[in-house]
């Protein structure tokens, strides 16, 4: 008999079921609590294990370990009963073991407190199975308990749901089949249910669930499922011409999912897989964990280095002036060598600058160890780099000062230096600057961040000062009043002269000569001129 013709018997009626179609197809087993759904799933596993077919059970309630009473299975997950507690880092190795060594797996996620942890493990394991089955082509059945938690009808699919739907749609060509189980068919994605090759309906009584049966199998079947006895079910499958009503046999192994009574449940003697398989899985997980921790440390190390350099630039800029650098400070050189004894300060600065440039271009190895960052001094915003000092001396006098650099520019360059691995080079460059800049500018090591001296800002333009504009307006007003006063004085003088008979130099009609009244006119004119002088003087003073 070919493998395609091999069958198995799960029911008391000895109704055969084709193994290949069940294993590589899409199945759905449903029924309310106590209807026999879990028993049917266990019977299916027993028959497949008897035939040597590999499988994996995603156990959400920790009730399938009873299969180990008769079969050697690798029980892994987050429960204390597991042969080995695992996490997502074991996913690839689990797929290798179950497909390569034909080892059946119980993936027990009942021990995880956080739902996100269990879903991540399920997602990664199923993903690895799907990837490796493309090459392995091993007939393999994946059973999913409480399917409504992974492929719900409402709320959308998360990563796990999308992966399971992907396996359901494309897994058959790779030999990977899926069997979902749930007490509530109304809560399971109808897109999945309607694509199944075989369905097992145990007793259902809730209206929403029976409506699902009615929409798929008709109202008559929906009425029939409400009266089924425990263990009885209606099967609809592609290999059957019509639906059939059967009763599944009782499972031979421990029913760990049974409701406990007052006497409790005794744990059976269980079969164990080879110890070398457990050791292999444990070693693989430990190795991957160490790599993951090292990767995390590298990322944290780099982040700490960047943060330290940026924080150094953002420190109090006045501290550099208050705390000059000690003469014996010797930061680590990029090449591991300090300045030679007696080497001129300018030559040492030039050499350090060249080494820093090489380090930035990637031609020299550098270190971003946070311990080296602790050796760097705090920055001085008034620091002048050696190269800038030399270029300035050839183009301008010592009294001229270079343009200011913003703090944002320094912070950005600090981040670039650290990300390029230039921490050590920057430390050496800072040492050279502290020697070359003596006598010409105040210099201080700032962790490799060059800062140009600040140029004093020029005096503000008086035309832009609002106070000055007010003063101009007041001066203009006073000047206008002064001119008006002069005109008024002249008018008054003419009027008085006319009254006194001195306006045109002619004599008055009175008997008193005009010459006798001229001193009075002179006094009046003098007073007016004095007033005009005072007004003009006040206006000029305000302008100045």
């Amino acid at each position: 008999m070919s493998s395609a013709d091999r069958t198995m018997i799960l029911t008391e009626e000895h109704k055969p079921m084709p193994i290949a179609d069940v294993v590589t197809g899409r199945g759905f087993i449903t029924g309310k609590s106590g209807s026999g759904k879990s028993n049917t799933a266990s019977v299916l596993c027993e028959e497949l294990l008897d035939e040597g077919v590999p499988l994996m059970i995603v156990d959400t309630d920790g009730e399938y370990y009873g299969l180990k009473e008769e079969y050697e299975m690798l029980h892994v997950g987050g429960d204390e009963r597991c042969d080995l507690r695992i996490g997502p880092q074991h996913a690839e190795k689990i797929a290798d073991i179950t497909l390569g060594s034909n080892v059946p797996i119980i993936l027990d996620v009942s021990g995880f407190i956080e739902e996100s942890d269990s879903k991540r493990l399920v997602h990664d394991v199923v993903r690895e199975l799907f990837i490796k089955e493309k090459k392995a082509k091993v007939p393999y059945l994946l059973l999913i308990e409480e399917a409504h938690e992974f492929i719900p009808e409402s709320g959308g699919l998360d990563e796990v749901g999308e992966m399971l739907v992907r396996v359901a749609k494309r897994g058959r060509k790779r030999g990977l089949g899926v069997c979902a189980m749930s007490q509530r068919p109304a809560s399971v994605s109808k897109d999945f249910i309607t694509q199944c090759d075989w369905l097992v309906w145990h007793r259902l009584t809730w209206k929403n669930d029976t409506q699902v049966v009615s929409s798929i199998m008709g109202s008559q079947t929906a009425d029939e499922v409400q009266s089924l006895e425990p263990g009885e079910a209606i099967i609809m499958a592609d290999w059957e011409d019509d639906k059939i009503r059967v009763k599944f046999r009782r499972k031979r192994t421990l029913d760990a999912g049974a409701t406990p009574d007052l006497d409790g449940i005794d744990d059976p003697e269980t079969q164990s897989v080879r110890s070398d398989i457990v050791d292999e899985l444990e070693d693989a997980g430990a190795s991957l964990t160490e790599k993951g921790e090292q990767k995390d440390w590298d990322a944290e190390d780099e982040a700490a280095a960047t943060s330290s350099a940026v924080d150094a630039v953002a420190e109090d800029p006045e501290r550099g002036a208050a705390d000059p650098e000690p003469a014996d400070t010797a930061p680590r050189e990029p090449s591991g060598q300090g300045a030679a004894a007696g080497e001129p300060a300018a030559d040492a600065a030039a050499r350090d600058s060249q080494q820093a440039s090489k380090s930035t271009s990637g031609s020299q190895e550098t270190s971003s160890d946070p311990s080296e960052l602790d050796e760097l001094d705090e920055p001085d915003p008034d620091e002048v780099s050696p190269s800038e000092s030399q270029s300035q001396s050839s183009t301008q006098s010592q009294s001229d000062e270079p343009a200011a650099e913003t703090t944002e520019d320094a912070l950005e360059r600090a981040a670039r230096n650290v990300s390029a691995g230039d921490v050590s080079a920057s430390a050496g460059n800072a040492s050279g600057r502290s020697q070359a800049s003596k006598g010409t500018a105040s210099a201080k090591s700032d962790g490799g961040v060059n800062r140009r001296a600040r140029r004093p800002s020029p005096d503000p333009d008086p035309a832009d000062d609002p106070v000055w504009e007010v003063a101009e307006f007041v001066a203009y007003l006073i000047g206008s009043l002064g001119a008006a006063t002069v005109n008024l004085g002249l008018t008054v003088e003419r009027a008085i002269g006319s009254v006194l008979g001195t306006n045109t130099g002619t004599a008055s009609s009175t008997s008193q000569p005009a010459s006798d009244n001229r001193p009075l006119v002179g006094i009046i004119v003098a007073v007016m001129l004095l007033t005009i002088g005072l007004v003009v003087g006040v206006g000029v003073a305000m302008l100045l």
Side-chain angles (χ1 to χ4, degrees), residues 48 101 117 139 143 200 203 315 322 378 415 423 429 451 458:
L48 293 177
S101 301
D117 295 336
L143 296 99
V200 178
R203 187 185 181 197
E315 288 286 342
E378 295 179 0
V423 176
N429 198 15
R451 309 256 338 201

Side-chain angles (χ1 to χ4, degrees), residues 358-438:
K358 292 179 180 179
S359 174
T360 304
S361 63
S363 60
Q364 179 175 340
E365 293 183 359
T366 58
S367 171
S368 60
D369 192 340
S371 62
E372 296 184 5
L373 294 176
D374 296 336
E375 300 175 5
L376 304 180
D377 294 329
E378 295 179 0
D380 187 348
D382 296 330
E383 178 184 12
V384 180
S385 66
S387 59
E388 292 171 346
S389 298
Q390 294 174 5
S391 62
Q392 292 168 8
S393 62
S394 62
T395 58
Q396 62 183 19
S397 64
Q398 182 176 354
S399 59
D400 292 337
E401 297 180 14
E405 181 182 23
T406 63
T407 302
E408 290 77 5
D409 294 338
L411 291 173
E412 181 179 356
R413 186 168 60 258
R416 289 199 304 268
N417 289 343
V418 174
S419 62
D422 199 24
V423 176
S424 298
S426 300
N429 198 15
S431 176
R433 289 198 303 273
S434 65
Q435 297 178 13
S437 58
K438 288 181 180 179

Side-chain angles (χ1 to χ4, degrees), residues 271-289:
Q271 303 287 333
S272 299
V273 296
R274 301 193 314 268
S275 59
D276 61 315
I277 294 178
V278 178
D279 294 339
E280 182 182 358
L281 180 59
E282 185 174 13
D283 294 342
S287 176
L288 290 173
T289 300

Side-chain angles (χ1 to χ4, degrees), residues 33 45 66 134 149 165 182 234 276 322 335-336 353 356 363 440 508 539:
S33 178
C45 292
K134 183 177 181 180
E149 295 183 2
V165 170
S182 176
I234 296 176
D276 61 315
S335 60
S353 178
S363 60
T440 60
S508 174

Side-chain angles (χ1 to χ4, degrees), residues 137-317:
K137 301 291 185 181
V138 176
Y140 195 95
L141 181 61
L142 177 65
L143 296 99
I144 309 292
E145 265 286 7
E146 304 297 340
H148 56 271
E149 295 183 2
F150 301 103
I151 45 176
E153 170 64 11
S154 59
L157 299 178
D158 56 13
E159 284 186 326
V160 186
E162 291 177 354
M163 179 55 63
L164 291 175
V165 170
R166 186 179 184 185
V167 172
K169 291 180 178 180
R170 300 174 54 189
R172 187 183 188 96
K173 296 180 180 179
R174 306 186 182 198
L176 182 59
V178 178
C179 176
M181 296 164 281
S182 176
Q183 298 180 11
R184 303 297 301 274
S187 300
V188 179
S189 172
K190 302 306 176 292
D191 291 338
F192 175 83
I193 296 177
T194 54
Q195 293 181 29
C196 288
D197 307 314
W198 55 277
L199 301 98
V200 178
W201 305 91
H202 285 279
R203 187 185 181 197
L204 294 168
T205 56
W206 194 47
K207 182 178 180 180
N208 286 3
D209 294 331
T210 56
Q211 287 178 346
V212 175
V213 180
S214 177
S215 63
I216 296 176
M217 302 183 64
S219 58
Q220 183 178 355
T221 305
D223 295 337
E224 189 175 358
V225 296
Q226 299 183 49
S227 59
L228 294 175
E229 296 294 329
E232 286 188 328
I234 296 176
I235 298 177
M236 182 179 71
D238 289 353
W239 58 81
E240 296 288 347
D241 296 333
D242 196 5
K243 63 179 182 180
I244 57 174
R245 182 169 176 170
V246 297
K247 184 172 184 178
F248 287 87
R249 67 169 178 83
R250 289 290 301 173
K251 61 187 296 186
R252 297 188 300 265
T253 53
L254 174 69
D255 187 5
T259 303
D261 54 22
L262 296 178
D263 296 331
I265 299 177
D266 295 330
D267 290 338
E269 292 291 334
T270 58
Q271 303 287 333
S272 299
V273 296
R274 301 193 314 268
S275 59
D276 61 315
I277 294 178
V278 178
D279 294 339
E280 182 182 358
L281 180 59
E282 185 174 13
D283 294 342
S287 176
L288 290 173
T289 300
E290 292 176 359
K291 291 181 180 179
E293 291 176 351
Q294 182 62 39
K295 182 176 180 181
D296 293 341
W297 164 249
D298 292 342
E300 293 174 359
D301 187 27
E302 180 179 357
T306 304
S307 177
S308 298
V310 174
D311 290 343
V313 176
E315 288 286 342
D316 183 7

